[in-house]
Amino acid sequence: MTRSRKTPSADSLLAWYDRHRRRLPWRALPGATTDPYRVWLSEIMLQQTTVAAVGPYFEAFLRRWPGVADLAAAGLDEVLHAWQGLGYYARARNLHRCAREVAAAGGRFPDSEAELLKLPGIGPYTAAAIAAIAFGRRAVVVDGNVERVMARVFAVGEPLPGAKRRLRALADTLTPEARAGDYAQAVMDLGATICTPRSPNCLVCPWGDACAGREIAESLPRRAPKPERPLRRAMAFWITRPDGSVLLRRRPESGLLGGMIEAPSTEWREGPLPTLAAARELAPLPARDWRELPGVVEHGFTHFRLELAVLAGRVERDAGAANGAIWCHPDRLGEQALPTVMKKLARHALKYG
């Protein structure tokens, strides 16, 4: 059984927020001027990443690149390296591109959703968040926290992702003209601290008396079953010189892990691994003493799982590194923009190689 008492009030939520707002490194203090650069940087970092994980990265970025012009002047490799651990490296590439576009336009971010949407890496949610939080524009800001709050307050039983449009429309009905940025952050804080995925604390919720789904809150929002992720496999090549240096290459700028550094491999595809003979024919260099290392490296991406078998081989000292490949000693792997899957591969190869 669900119930509906009174309409949720933006004023009551803002009053709660004024007393209980979280202190976050990118959030301006009450009465202070909001820095659009900080808002933009934090919103890009927070996409599919937790607040706790983002905090140290955000502060490190600010120390290194305190303004958008500083970030624009950085090299892409520097940015990708600093991004390691936040995942989804396309965000880092777009962050760098966006900084350069904003710097080239005078260093000021546009203040409307329409203009913000024209910048690299800024989608509808991020444009709304920046417009509201950085510039005080009325914008409907809907992230996962907001979806959960709306699904519970209005007792929406339709499962996600199908319910997204309805939940956004409901969020629109509550978004005020005044203090739009504070309101957006208030709903997100409510979802993060009180209306949590498990064990929501309804007794202290400022919207508790207006929540139509209070009795079934923990079951909302409902979600459609996720399809099983397919499994892809590949053979990775761990090729070393006598000095211990390993052959690496840069991935294409576009696509998954674009611009990152990796050990060469066969194509990541579904189905069985290539035979050792076939894999050796696909190796980037004609190495010798080939041997397959024990076990596999496993990694999960959003849309598929990956298993990498590792084929280790050796070349002579004077072997070249064609097609933009590089040699890197294991002691200096930390200087390379290696994605997590390649860090796993390096640990595996150094353990068994």
Side-chain angles (χ1 to χ4, degrees), residues 101-312:
E101 287 195 19
V102 172
R108 293 186 176 182
F109 284 87
D111 63 0
S112 70
E113 289 181 80
E115 291 301 312
L116 286 163
L117 280 168
K118 297 177 182 179
L119 293 172
I122 296 184
Y125 161 76
T126 306
I130 296 171
I133 298 168
F135 300 107
R137 305 292 187 188
R138 185 192 183 277
V140 183
V141 183
V142 182
D143 69 351
N145 281 317
V146 178
E147 286 181 340
R148 183 169 61 257
V149 171
M150 295 300 130
R152 290 171 175 176
V153 166
F154 292 99
V156 176
E158 180 186 356
L160 288 169
K164 282 182 175 289
R165 181 175 295 182
R166 184 181 175 194
L167 294 175
R168 189 188 185 283
L170 291 169
D172 192 3
T173 66
L174 299 181
T175 303
E177 293 288 342
R179 297 187 65 187
D182 283 345
Y183 172 81
Q185 293 175 103
V187 184
M188 290 188 277
D189 277 12
L190 184 67
T193 64
I194 291 179
C195 196
T196 50
R198 295 181 180 86
S199 303
N201 193 356
C202 301
L203 291 176
V204 299
C205 179
W207 279 349
D209 289 341
C211 185
R214 181 168 175 171
E215 282 84 358
I216 57 170
E218 197 161 355
S219 70
L220 299 174
R222 298 191 172 102
R223 297 182 182 276
K226 290 184 178 180
E228 184 176 352
R229 291 178 297 170
L231 175 63
R232 298 181 187 177
R233 297 183 174 92
M235 184 73 75
F237 301 103
W238 189 259
I239 302 175
T240 56
R241 299 188 307 196
D243 67 354
S245 295
V246 62
L247 186 71
L248 302 173
R249 68 182 180 188
R250 185 183 300 278
R251 291 180 63 85
E253 289 295 327
S254 60
L256 181 68
L257 304 179
M260 303 297 290
I261 301 298
E262 68 172 359
S265 72
T266 61
E267 182 183 358
W268 299 359
R269 64 184 183 183
E270 296 180 46
L273 285 168
T275 65
L276 293 183
R280 287 196 294 267
E281 292 298 317
L282 297 170
L285 289 177
R288 65 182 186 181
D289 300 330
W290 288 111
R291 62 192 181 92
E292 186 175 0
L293 301 185
V296 295
V297 176
E298 299 179 344
H299 189 71
F301 292 96
T302 304
H303 300 297
F304 67 94
R305 295 173 293 129
L306 178 66
E307 287 185 357
L308 294 174
V310 184
L311 194 61

